[in-house]
Tab-separated table of all heavy atoms in Angstrom:
chain	number	residue	atom	x	y	z
A	1	MET	N	31.977	-39.556	-2.039
A	1	MET	CA	32.702	-39.717	-0.786
A	1	MET	C	33.020	-38.364	-0.165
A	1	MET	O	34.108	-38.090	0.251
A	1	MET	CB	34.017	-40.474	-1.046
A	1	MET	CG	33.809	-41.865	-1.523
A	1	MET	SD	33.319	-42.966	-0.202
A	1	MET	CE	34.938	-43.467	0.398
A	2	SER	N	32.045	-37.468	-0.161
A	2	SER	CA	32.310	-36.151	0.422
A	2	SER	C	31.240	-35.844	1.466
A	2	SER	O	30.663	-34.786	1.495
A	2	SER	CB	32.326	-35.075	-0.652
A	2	SER	OG	31.088	-35.047	-1.306
A	3	ALA	N	30.966	-36.829	2.300
A	3	ALA	CA	29.878	-36.677	3.258
A	3	ALA	C	30.354	-36.144	4.600
A	3	ALA	O	29.577	-36.058	5.528
A	3	ALA	CB	29.184	-38.017	3.471
A	4	GLN	N	31.638	-35.812	4.657
A	4	GLN	CA	32.166	-35.340	5.923
A	4	GLN	C	31.892	-33.847	6.065
A	4	GLN	O	32.585	-33.015	5.510
A	4	GLN	CB	33.664	-35.613	5.998
A	4	GLN	CG	34.065	-36.044	7.384
A	4	GLN	CD	35.506	-36.531	7.411
A	4	GLN	OE1	36.193	-36.498	6.417
A	4	GLN	NE2	35.965	-36.968	8.555
A	5	ARG	N	30.882	-33.519	6.814
A	5	ARG	CA	30.493	-32.122	6.903
A	5	ARG	C	30.514	-31.607	8.339
A	5	ARG	O	29.868	-30.639	8.663
A	5	ARG	CB	29.088	-31.939	6.331
A	5	ARG	CG	29.072	-32.070	4.825
A	5	ARG	CD	27.669	-31.872	4.296
A	5	ARG	NE	27.647	-31.835	2.839
A	5	ARG	CZ	27.928	-30.750	2.130
A	5	ARG	NH1	28.264	-29.633	2.710
A	5	ARG	NH2	27.882	-30.789	0.812
A	6	SER	N	31.202	-32.283	9.194
A	6	SER	CA	31.277	-31.825	10.576
A	6	SER	C	32.102	-30.553	10.662
A	6	SER	O	32.887	-30.236	9.789
A	6	SER	CB	31.906	-32.896	11.460
A	6	SER	OG	31.302	-34.141	11.223
A	7	ARG	N	31.893	-29.867	11.769
A	7	ARG	CA	32.636	-28.622	11.968
A	7	ARG	C	33.937	-28.901	12.700
A	7	ARG	O	34.017	-28.755	13.904
A	7	ARG	CB	31.788	-27.626	12.755
A	7	ARG	CG	30.682	-27.011	11.937
A	7	ARG	CD	29.846	-26.103	12.804
A	7	ARG	NE	28.819	-25.428	12.016
A	7	ARG	CZ	29.043	-24.266	11.399
A	7	ARG	NH1	30.193	-23.682	11.498
A	7	ARG	NH2	28.069	-23.706	10.700
A	8	PHE	N	34.918	-29.305	11.982
A	8	PHE	CA	36.217	-29.546	12.585
A	8	PHE	C	36.991	-28.241	12.664
A	8	PHE	O	36.761	-27.338	11.879
A	8	PHE	CB	37.005	-30.568	11.751
A	8	PHE	CG	36.419	-31.938	11.803
A	8	PHE	CD1	35.787	-32.461	10.701
A	8	PHE	CD2	36.505	-32.689	12.966
A	8	PHE	CE1	35.237	-33.724	10.744
A	8	PHE	CE2	35.956	-33.958	13.017
A	8	PHE	CZ	35.316	-34.474	11.907
A	9	PRO	N	37.893	-28.176	13.604
A	9	PRO	CA	38.675	-26.940	13.729
A	9	PRO	C	39.560	-26.667	12.530
A	9	PRO	O	39.989	-25.540	12.329
A	9	PRO	CB	39.520	-27.164	14.992
A	9	PRO	CG	39.512	-28.621	15.230
A	9	PRO	CD	38.204	-29.122	14.664
A	10	PHE	N	39.802	-27.680	11.724
A	10	PHE	CA	40.671	-27.444	10.573
A	10	PHE	C	39.900	-27.011	9.338
A	10	PHE	O	40.441	-26.934	8.250
A	10	PHE	CB	41.516	-28.676	10.255
A	10	PHE	CG	40.716	-29.948	10.144
A	10	PHE	CD1	40.019	-30.232	8.991
A	10	PHE	CD2	40.696	-30.843	11.199
A	10	PHE	CE1	39.295	-31.408	8.885
A	10	PHE	CE2	39.974	-32.016	11.093
A	10	PHE	CZ	39.274	-32.295	9.946
A	11	ASP	N	38.593	-26.762	9.516
A	11	ASP	CA	37.810	-26.318	8.371
A	11	ASP	C	38.367	-25.032	7.775
A	11	ASP	O	38.372	-24.838	6.569
A	11	ASP	CB	36.356	-26.082	8.784
A	11	ASP	CG	35.540	-27.350	8.620
A	11	ASP	OD1	36.085	-28.329	8.079
A	11	ASP	OD2	34.388	-27.362	9.041
A	12	ARG	N	38.837	-24.162	8.680
A	12	ARG	CA	39.405	-22.913	8.178
A	12	ARG	C	40.643	-23.167	7.347
A	12	ARG	O	40.882	-22.543	6.338
A	12	ARG	CB	39.751	-21.987	9.350
A	12	ARG	CG	38.551	-21.209	9.835
A	12	ARG	CD	38.967	-20.281	10.937
A	12	ARG	NE	39.570	-21.021	12.055
A	12	ARG	CZ	40.181	-20.462	13.075
A	12	ARG	NH1	40.298	-19.172	13.134
A	12	ARG	NH2	40.668	-21.178	14.047
A	13	LEU	N	41.430	-24.128	7.790
A	13	LEU	CA	42.637	-24.458	7.045
A	13	LEU	C	42.282	-25.025	5.683
A	13	LEU	O	42.930	-24.753	4.691
A	13	LEU	CB	43.469	-25.468	7.829
A	13	LEU	CG	44.022	-24.933	9.148
A	13	LEU	CD1	44.576	-26.076	9.980
A	13	LEU	CD2	45.093	-23.894	8.897
A	14	ARG	N	41.234	-25.798	5.670
A	14	ARG	CA	40.827	-26.369	4.387
A	14	ARG	C	40.362	-25.271	3.436
A	14	ARG	O	40.659	-25.301	2.248
A	14	ARG	CB	39.713	-27.393	4.593
A	14	ARG	CG	39.234	-27.942	3.259
A	14	ARG	CD	38.530	-29.244	3.399
A	14	ARG	NE	37.340	-29.160	4.220
A	14	ARG	CZ	36.514	-30.179	4.391
A	14	ARG	NH1	36.762	-31.325	3.819
A	14	ARG	NH2	35.454	-30.051	5.138
A	15	GLU	N	39.610	-24.312	3.999
A	15	GLU	CA	39.173	-23.202	3.154
A	15	GLU	C	40.366	-22.463	2.582
A	15	GLU	O	40.373	-22.049	1.436
A	15	GLU	CB	38.306	-22.238	3.962
A	15	GLU	CG	36.905	-22.764	4.182
A	15	GLU	CD	36.134	-21.866	5.148
A	15	GLU	OE1	36.530	-20.709	5.318
A	15	GLU	OE2	35.154	-22.360	5.728
A	16	LYS	N	41.380	-22.341	3.417
A	16	LYS	CA	42.587	-21.668	2.951
A	16	LYS	C	43.228	-22.457	1.818
A	16	LYS	O	43.663	-21.895	0.817
A	16	LYS	CB	43.555	-21.540	4.129
A	16	LYS	CG	44.678	-20.567	3.885
A	16	LYS	CD	45.482	-20.433	5.165
A	16	LYS	CE	46.793	-19.699	4.903
A	16	LYS	NZ	47.642	-19.708	6.095
A	17	LEU	N	43.247	-23.769	1.983
A	17	LEU	CA	43.813	-24.601	0.927
A	17	LEU	C	42.965	-24.543	-0.326
A	17	LEU	O	43.471	-24.553	-1.444
A	17	LEU	CB	43.920	-26.049	1.409
A	17	LEU	CG	45.130	-26.372	2.283
A	17	LEU	CD1	45.005	-27.778	2.839
A	17	LEU	CD2	46.410	-26.244	1.509
A	18	ASP	N	41.648	-24.482	-0.129
A	18	ASP	CA	40.763	-24.433	-1.282
A	18	ASP	C	40.976	-23.164	-2.091
A	18	ASP	O	40.744	-23.134	-3.288
A	18	ASP	CB	39.304	-24.513	-0.832
A	18	ASP	CG	38.915	-25.947	-0.482
A	18	ASP	OD1	39.646	-26.861	-0.889
A	18	ASP	OD2	37.896	-26.125	0.192
A	19	ASP	N	41.406	-22.119	-1.393
A	19	ASP	CA	41.663	-20.876	-2.103
A	19	ASP	C	42.977	-20.921	-2.870
A	19	ASP	O	43.191	-20.156	-3.795
A	19	ASP	CB	41.708	-19.704	-1.110
A	19	ASP	CG	40.315	-19.314	-0.662
A	19	ASP	OD1	39.359	-19.715	-1.348
A	19	ASP	OD2	40.194	-18.623	0.358
A	20	THR	N	43.818	-21.838	-2.444
A	20	THR	CA	45.105	-21.959	-3.113
A	20	THR	C	44.920	-22.604	-4.481
A	20	THR	O	44.149	-23.529	-4.640
A	20	THR	CB	46.061	-22.824	-2.274
A	20	THR	OG1	46.044	-22.363	-0.935
A	20	THR	CG2	47.472	-22.738	-2.805
A	21	GLU	N	45.641	-22.089	-5.418
A	21	GLU	CA	45.560	-22.664	-6.756
A	21	GLU	C	46.136	-24.066	-6.746
A	21	GLU	O	47.243	-24.293	-6.278
A	21	GLU	CB	46.358	-21.785	-7.721
A	21	GLU	CG	46.094	-22.112	-9.161
A	21	GLU	CD	46.818	-21.133	-10.063
A	21	GLU	OE1	48.049	-21.039	-9.958
A	21	GLU	OE2	46.157	-20.460	-10.845
A	22	LEU	N	45.349	-25.010	-7.246
A	22	LEU	CA	45.809	-26.391	-7.285
A	22	LEU	C	46.636	-26.600	-8.548
A	22	LEU	O	46.117	-26.998	-9.584
A	22	LEU	CB	44.608	-27.337	-7.262
A	22	LEU	CG	44.094	-27.692	-5.867
A	22	LEU	CD1	42.797	-28.456	-5.967
A	22	LEU	CD2	45.121	-28.525	-5.133
A	23	ARG	N	47.900	-26.316	-8.409
A	23	ARG	CA	48.776	-26.412	-9.563
A	23	ARG	C	49.727	-27.585	-9.375
A	23	ARG	O	50.426	-27.677	-8.371
A	23	ARG	CB	49.567	-25.112	-9.697
A	23	ARG	CG	50.316	-25.000	-10.991
A	23	ARG	CD	50.604	-23.529	-11.241
A	23	ARG	NE	50.909	-23.286	-12.630
A	23	ARG	CZ	52.158	-23.230	-13.078
A	23	ARG	NH1	53.158	-23.398	-12.267
A	23	ARG	NH2	52.378	-23.001	-14.354
A	24	CYS	N	49.715	-28.456	-10.344
A	24	CYS	CA	50.549	-29.645	-10.263
A	24	CYS	C	52.017	-29.271	-10.408
A	24	CYS	O	52.392	-28.542	-11.316
A	24	CYS	CB	50.142	-30.633	-11.355
A	24	CYS	SG	51.166	-32.110	-11.373
A	25	ARG	N	52.818	-29.791	-9.496
A	25	ARG	CA	54.249	-29.496	-9.568
A	25	ARG	C	54.927	-30.312	-10.659
A	25	ARG	O	56.016	-29.991	-11.106
A	25	ARG	CB	54.908	-29.809	-8.219
A	25	ARG	CG	54.765	-28.655	-7.257
A	25	ARG	CD	55.600	-28.890	-6.028
A	25	ARG	NE	55.149	-30.057	-5.273
A	25	ARG	CZ	55.652	-30.402	-4.106
A	25	ARG	NH1	56.611	-29.705	-3.575
A	25	ARG	NH2	55.191	-31.446	-3.468
A	26	GLN	N	54.290	-31.396	-11.051
A	26	GLN	CA	54.904	-32.276	-12.034
A	26	GLN	C	54.685	-31.789	-13.459
A	26	GLN	O	55.608	-31.731	-14.251
A	26	GLN	CB	54.344	-33.695	-11.884
A	26	GLN	CG	54.570	-34.304	-10.522
A	26	GLN	CD	56.058	-34.454	-10.196
A	26	GLN	OE1	56.849	-34.843	-11.042
A	26	GLN	NE2	56.445	-34.125	-8.971
A	27	CYS	N	53.449	-31.445	-13.770
A	27	CYS	CA	53.143	-31.105	-15.159
A	27	CYS	C	52.601	-29.690	-15.308
A	27	CYS	O	52.407	-29.215	-16.424
A	27	CYS	CB	52.140	-32.111	-15.741
A	27	CYS	SG	50.474	-31.947	-15.056
A	28	GLY	N	52.347	-29.004	-14.191
A	28	GLY	CA	51.893	-27.621	-14.279
A	28	GLY	C	50.402	-27.469	-14.518
A	28	GLY	O	49.901	-26.360	-14.672
A	29	TYR	N	49.684	-28.569	-14.533
A	29	TYR	CA	48.244	-28.517	-14.747
A	29	TYR	C	47.554	-27.833	-13.574
A	29	TYR	O	47.831	-28.124	-12.418
A	29	TYR	CB	47.707	-29.941	-14.911
A	29	TYR	CG	46.220	-30.004	-15.166
A	29	TYR	CD1	45.721	-29.925	-16.458
A	29	TYR	CD2	45.325	-30.154	-14.103
A	29	TYR	CE1	44.366	-29.986	-16.687
A	29	TYR	CE2	43.967	-30.213	-14.330
A	29	TYR	CZ	43.494	-30.125	-15.624
A	29	TYR	OH	42.153	-30.183	-15.846
A	30	VAL	N	46.651	-26.907	-13.880
A	30	VAL	CA	45.902	-26.224	-12.830
A	30	VAL	C	44.508	-26.828	-12.747
A	30	VAL	O	43.710	-26.712	-13.674
A	30	VAL	CB	45.801	-24.711	-13.113
A	30	VAL	CG1	44.949	-24.036	-12.033
A	30	VAL	CG2	47.186	-24.092	-13.150
A	31	ASP	N	44.227	-27.478	-11.624
A	31	ASP	CA	42.949	-28.151	-11.438
A	31	ASP	C	41.966	-27.201	-10.759
A	31	ASP	O	41.786	-27.225	-9.548
A	31	ASP	CB	43.175	-29.406	-10.590
A	31	ASP	CG	41.930	-30.265	-10.518
A	31	ASP	OD1	40.962	-29.949	-11.230
A	31	ASP	OD2	41.921	-31.228	-9.750
A	32	SER	N	41.345	-26.351	-11.556
A	32	SER	CA	40.482	-25.313	-10.985
A	32	SER	C	39.193	-25.890	-10.407
A	32	SER	O	38.550	-25.284	-9.557
A	32	SER	CB	40.147	-24.273	-12.054
A	32	SER	OG	39.640	-24.908	-13.209
A	33	ASP	N	38.795	-27.075	-10.841
A	33	ASP	CA	37.575	-27.687	-10.321
A	33	ASP	C	37.862	-28.678	-9.203
A	33	ASP	O	36.951	-29.193	-8.581
A	33	ASP	CB	36.823	-28.422	-11.433
A	33	ASP	CG	36.287	-27.439	-12.463
A	33	ASP	OD1	35.933	-26.323	-12.068
A	33	ASP	OD2	36.250	-27.794	-13.639
A	34	GLY	N	39.122	-28.953	-8.988
A	34	GLY	CA	39.477	-29.984	-8.027
A	34	GLY	C	39.508	-29.463	-6.611
A	34	GLY	O	39.344	-28.285	-6.344
A	35	GLY	N	39.696	-30.376	-5.699
A	35	GLY	CA	39.786	-30.019	-4.291
A	35	GLY	C	40.671	-31.001	-3.566
A	35	GLY	O	41.132	-31.979	-4.143
A	36	TRP	N	40.858	-30.711	-2.302
A	36	TRP	CA	41.706	-31.577	-1.489
A	36	TRP	C	40.875	-32.654	-0.817
A	36	TRP	O	39.803	-32.394	-0.308
A	36	TRP	CB	42.411	-30.750	-0.433
A	36	TRP	CG	43.355	-29.748	-0.977
A	36	TRP	CD1	43.052	-28.473	-1.380
A	36	TRP	CD2	44.756	-29.910	-1.217
A	36	TRP	NE1	44.181	-27.860	-1.836
A	36	TRP	CE2	45.239	-28.702	-1.741
A	36	TRP	CE3	45.643	-30.977	-1.011
A	36	TRP	CZ2	46.582	-28.527	-2.075
A	36	TRP	CZ3	46.975	-30.806	-1.344
A	36	TRP	CH2	47.437	-29.589	-1.874
A	37	ARG	N	41.401	-33.840	-0.802
A	37	ARG	CA	40.806	-34.906	0.009
A	37	ARG	C	41.392	-34.780	1.407
A	37	ARG	O	42.596	-34.665	1.550
A	37	ARG	CB	41.174	-36.277	-0.571
A	37	ARG	CG	40.593	-36.493	-1.949
A	37	ARG	CD	39.256	-37.162	-1.846
A	37	ARG	NE	38.665	-37.371	-3.155
A	37	ARG	CZ	38.416	-38.571	-3.663
A	37	ARG	NH1	38.737	-39.646	-2.989
A	37	ARG	NH2	37.833	-38.686	-4.821
A	38	VAL	N	40.531	-34.844	2.383
A	38	VAL	CA	40.994	-34.666	3.755
A	38	VAL	C	40.928	-35.990	4.497
A	38	VAL	O	39.956	-36.736	4.384
A	38	VAL	CB	40.123	-33.626	4.490
A	38	VAL	CG1	40.704	-33.337	5.857
A	38	VAL	CG2	40.027	-32.353	3.680
A	39	ARG	N	41.975	-36.259	5.230
A	39	ARG	CA	41.996	-37.479	6.036
A	39	ARG	C	42.610	-37.141	7.386
A	39	ARG	O	43.644	-36.493	7.457
A	39	ARG	CB	42.818	-38.545	5.322
A	39	ARG	CG	43.148	-39.727	6.212
A	39	ARG	CD	43.933	-40.745	5.456
A	39	ARG	NE	43.048	-41.635	4.704
A	39	ARG	CZ	43.468	-42.663	4.004
A	39	ARG	NH1	44.747	-42.913	3.894
A	39	ARG	NH2	42.626	-43.438	3.372
A	40	THR	N	41.953	-37.583	8.427
A	40	THR	CA	42.477	-37.311	9.759
A	40	THR	C	43.022	-38.584	10.380
A	40	THR	O	42.498	-39.672	10.158
A	40	THR	CB	41.374	-36.763	10.687
A	40	THR	OG1	40.284	-37.676	10.705
A	40	THR	CG2	40.899	-35.413	10.220
A	41	SER	N	44.060	-38.428	11.157
A	41	SER	CA	44.605	-39.562	11.894
A	41	SER	C	45.249	-39.015	13.157
A	41	SER	O	46.260	-38.351	13.097
A	41	SER	CB	45.617	-40.331	11.054
A	41	SER	OG	46.688	-39.490	10.698
A	42	GLY	N	44.627	-39.280	14.281
A	42	GLY	CA	45.157	-38.777	15.541
A	42	GLY	C	45.094	-37.262	15.584
A	42	GLY	O	44.038	-36.676	15.401
A	43	ASP	N	46.247	-36.648	15.766
A	43	ASP	CA	46.282	-35.198	15.865
A	43	ASP	C	46.759	-34.564	14.566
A	43	ASP	O	47.164	-33.423	14.531
A	43	ASP	CB	47.187	-34.764	17.026
A	43	ASP	CG	48.627	-35.236	16.831
A	43	ASP	OD1	48.852	-36.075	15.943
A	43	ASP	OD2	49.501	-34.755	17.559
A	44	ARG	N	46.709	-35.340	13.504
A	44	ARG	CA	47.177	-34.801	12.228
A	44	ARG	C	46.070	-34.847	11.183
A	44	ARG	O	45.212	-35.714	11.196
A	44	ARG	CB	48.379	-35.593	11.715
A	44	ARG	CG	49.643	-35.289	12.480
A	44	ARG	CD	50.763	-36.120	11.956
A	44	ARG	NE	50.458	-37.553	12.087
A	44	ARG	CZ	51.226	-38.505	11.610
A	44	ARG	NH1	52.312	-38.200	10.964
A	44	ARG	NH2	50.891	-39.755	11.770
A	45	VAL	N	46.150	-33.894	10.284
A	45	VAL	CA	45.215	-33.849	9.176
A	45	VAL	C	46.014	-33.890	7.887
A	45	VAL	O	46.946	-33.108	7.707
A	45	VAL	CB	44.367	-32.567	9.203
A	45	VAL	CG1	43.286	-32.634	8.137
A	45	VAL	CG2	43.749	-32.361	10.567
A	46	SER	N	45.666	-34.819	7.036
A	46	SER	CA	46.380	-34.933	5.781
A	46	SER	C	45.478	-34.501	4.636
A	46	SER	O	44.324	-34.915	4.538
A	46	SER	CB	46.830	-36.384	5.553
A	46	SER	OG	47.683	-36.785	6.598
A	47	TYR	N	46.001	-33.669	3.780
A	47	TYR	CA	45.284	-33.240	2.588
A	47	TYR	C	45.986	-33.844	1.391
A	47	TYR	O	47.204	-33.864	1.312
A	47	TYR	CB	45.307	-31.720	2.471
A	47	TYR	CG	44.596	-31.014	3.594
A	47	TYR	CD1	45.243	-30.752	4.786
A	47	TYR	CD2	43.273	-30.619	3.452
A	47	TYR	CE1	44.597	-30.107	5.817
A	47	TYR	CE2	42.622	-29.981	4.481
A	47	TYR	CZ	43.286	-29.717	5.658
A	47	TYR	OH	42.660	-29.085	6.680
A	48	ARG	N	45.177	-34.319	0.458
A	48	ARG	CA	45.761	-34.972	-0.694
A	48	ARG	C	45.051	-34.517	-1.966
A	48	ARG	O	43.845	-34.381	-1.999
A	48	ARG	CB	45.625	-36.495	-0.544
A	48	ARG	CG	46.622	-37.272	-1.362
A	48	ARG	CD	46.606	-38.706	-0.907
A	48	ARG	NE	45.430	-39.377	-1.442
A	48	ARG	CZ	45.488	-40.391	-2.294
A	48	ARG	NH1	46.643	-40.888	-2.634
A	48	ARG	NH2	44.398	-40.947	-2.757
A	49	HIS	N	45.820	-34.305	-2.976
A	49	HIS	CA	45.241	-33.968	-4.270
A	49	HIS	C	45.953	-34.766	-5.348
A	49	HIS	O	47.170	-34.838	-5.380
A	49	HIS	CB	45.390	-32.471	-4.552
A	49	HIS	CG	44.982	-32.108	-5.941
A	49	HIS	ND1	45.892	-31.821	-6.933
A	49	HIS	CD2	43.756	-32.018	-6.490
A	49	HIS	CE1	45.225	-31.554	-8.046
A	49	HIS	NE2	43.936	-31.663	-7.815
A	50	VAL	N	45.158	-35.381	-6.196
A	50	VAL	CA	45.734	-36.144	-7.293
A	50	VAL	C	45.517	-35.380	-8.586
A	50	VAL	O	44.391	-35.014	-8.929
A	50	VAL	CB	45.083	-37.545	-7.393
A	50	VAL	CG1	45.719	-38.338	-8.525
A	50	VAL	CG2	45.229	-38.287	-6.076
A	51	CYS	N	46.587	-35.132	-9.276
A	51	CYS	CA	46.505	-34.399	-10.538
A	51	CYS	C	45.717	-35.217	-11.560
A	51	CYS	O	46.055	-36.363	-11.828
A	51	CYS	CB	47.910	-34.117	-11.052
A	51	CYS	SG	47.916	-33.349	-12.681
A	52	PRO	N	44.660	-34.643	-12.130
A	52	PRO	CA	43.867	-35.380	-13.131
A	52	PRO	C	44.600	-35.540	-14.454
A	52	PRO	O	44.172	-36.304	-15.312
A	52	PRO	CB	42.610	-34.515	-13.290
A	52	PRO	CG	43.038	-33.149	-12.882
A	52	PRO	CD	44.135	-33.310	-11.863
A	53	SER	N	45.671	-34.830	-14.607
A	53	SER	CA	46.401	-34.881	-15.860
A	53	SER	C	47.492	-35.949	-15.857
A	53	SER	O	47.598	-36.744	-16.776
A	53	SER	CB	47.006	-33.502	-16.152
A	53	SER	OG	47.751	-33.536	-17.342
A	54	CYS	N	48.278	-35.966	-14.778
A	54	CYS	CA	49.409	-36.900	-14.752
A	54	CYS	C	49.389	-37.812	-13.530
A	54	CYS	O	50.288	-38.609	-13.346
A	54	CYS	CB	50.728	-36.133	-14.812
A	54	CYS	SG	51.131	-35.262	-13.287
A	55	ASN	N	48.349	-37.668	-12.681
A	55	ASN	CA	48.184	-38.513	-11.491
A	55	ASN	C	49.275	-38.308	-10.440
A	55	ASN	O	49.452	-39.163	-9.578
A	55	ASN	CB	48.104	-39.990	-11.871
A	55	ASN	CG	46.823	-40.307	-12.610
A	55	ASN	OD1	45.764	-39.810	-12.265
A	55	ASN	ND2	46.931	-41.119	-13.649
A	56	ALA	N	49.977	-37.226	-10.512
A	56	ALA	CA	50.926	-36.919	-9.446
A	56	ALA	C	50.144	-36.593	-8.180
A	56	ALA	O	49.076	-35.989	-8.224
A	56	ALA	CB	51.794	-35.721	-9.845
A	57	ILE	N	50.684	-37.011	-7.062
A	57	ILE	CA	49.987	-36.816	-5.791
A	57	ILE	C	50.651	-35.708	-4.999
A	57	ILE	O	51.860	-35.732	-4.747
A	57	ILE	CB	49.989	-38.113	-4.971
A	57	ILE	CG1	49.224	-39.193	-5.742
A	57	ILE	CG2	49.337	-37.883	-3.618
A	57	ILE	CD1	49.286	-40.559	-5.086
A	58	GLU	N	49.833	-34.734	-4.649
A	58	GLU	CA	50.301	-33.611	-3.842
A	58	GLU	C	49.727	-33.757	-2.448
A	58	GLU	O	48.546	-34.029	-2.281
A	58	GLU	CB	49.803	-32.317	-4.486
A	58	GLU	CG	50.316	-31.061	-3.829
A	58	GLU	CD	51.677	-30.665	-4.360
A	58	GLU	OE1	52.109	-31.273	-5.357
A	58	GLU	OE2	52.283	-29.768	-3.799
A	59	THR	N	50.535	-33.597	-1.447
A	59	THR	CA	50.036	-33.760	-0.076
A	59	THR	C	50.449	-32.598	0.800
A	59	THR	O	51.478	-31.969	0.606
A	59	THR	CB	50.576	-35.058	0.563
A	59	THR	OG1	51.992	-35.029	0.547
A	59	THR	CG2	50.068	-36.278	-0.153
A	60	ARG	N	49.587	-32.313	1.746
A	60	ARG	CA	49.895	-31.361	2.806
A	60	ARG	C	49.555	-32.041	4.122
A	60	ARG	O	48.597	-32.798	4.193
A	60	ARG	CB	49.046	-30.096	2.689
A	60	ARG	CG	49.236	-29.326	1.435
A	60	ARG	CD	50.458	-28.432	1.484
A	60	ARG	NE	50.467	-27.515	0.358
A	60	ARG	CZ	50.816	-27.860	-0.873
A	60	ARG	NH1	51.148	-29.102	-1.129
A	60	ARG	NH2	50.794	-26.973	-1.843
A	61	GLU	N	50.296	-31.769	5.144
A	61	GLU	CA	49.977	-32.358	6.428
A	61	GLU	C	50.008	-31.266	7.496
A	61	GLU	O	50.932	-30.478	7.544
A	61	GLU	CB	50.970	-33.454	6.774
A	61	GLU	CG	50.465	-34.317	7.920
A	61	GLU	CD	51.329	-35.563	8.085
A	61	GLU	OE1	52.313	-35.479	8.824
A	61	GLU	OE2	51.013	-36.588	7.473
A	62	LEU	N	48.966	-31.263	8.298
A	62	LEU	CA	48.864	-30.249	9.346
A	62	LEU	C	48.651	-30.917	10.684
A	62	LEU	O	48.003	-31.951	10.783
A	62	LEU	CB	47.680	-29.329	9.043
A	62	LEU	CG	47.735	-28.580	7.718
A	62	LEU	CD1	46.341	-28.098	7.352
A	62	LEU	CD2	48.676	-27.406	7.811
A	63	ARG	N	49.189	-30.306	11.695
A	63	ARG	CA	48.959	-30.789	13.058
A	63	ARG	C	47.873	-29.965	13.695
A	63	ARG	O	47.837	-28.762	13.572
A	63	ARG	CB	50.236	-30.677	13.880
A	63	ARG	CG	51.315	-31.629	13.425
A	63	ARG	CD	52.510	-31.511	14.342
A	63	ARG	NE	52.202	-32.064	15.666
A	63	ARG	CZ	52.455	-33.320	16.006
A	63	ARG	NH1	53.001	-34.131	15.148
A	63	ARG	NH2	52.153	-33.756	17.203
A	64	LEU	N	46.991	-30.641	14.398
A	64	LEU	CA	45.907	-29.921	15.063
A	64	LEU	C	46.402	-29.278	16.361
A	64	LEU	O	47.299	-29.795	16.979
A	64	LEU	CB	44.755	-30.869	15.380
A	64	LEU	CG	44.037	-31.412	14.162
A	64	LEU	CD1	42.965	-32.398	14.615
A	64	LEU	CD2	43.397	-30.287	13.379
B	101	ZN	ZN1	50.144	-33.191	-13.141
């Protein structure tokens, strides 16, 4: 489910997030292979990451 390859203006933001260490706030697990799931709705972009260790959900939301 990673077929979204369009050039959205938030691609830069995603790259920035990808550079951020994905560290779970709940258990401290660092998901070095993981990435953010991106979802758009209207003028907002939601990023979501699920911790593979404890399934805690981390979210970021950005306005376009
Ligand atoms: Zn966790």
Side-chain angles (χ1 to χ4, degrees):
M1 296 284 272
S2 59
Q4 219 171 3
R5 288 180 173 278
S6 312
R7 286 177 176 272
F8 292 109
F10 51 80
D11 270 353
R12 277 182 302 171
L13 295 168
R14 177 160 61 175
E15 284 172 20
K16 195 175 168 187
L17 279 172
D18 282 343
D19 284 343
T20 311
E21 193 175 58
L22 274 172
R23 191 159 199 264
C24 178
R25 276 189 296 186
Q26 301 298 318
C27 71
Y29 181 88
V30 177
D31 188 7
S32 52
D33 293 327
W36 296 87
R37 296 268 179 116
V38 186
R39 167 179 276 183
T40 55
S41 60
D43 61 348
R44 286 178 301 175
V45 187
S46 300
Y47 296 84
R48 202 167 77 116
H49 172 256
V50 181
C51 175
S53 178
C54 72
N55 291 320
I57 297 174
E58 185 85 10
T59 58
R60 299 278 191 282
E61 195 169 89
L62 300 161
R63 292 183 70 93
L64 293 177

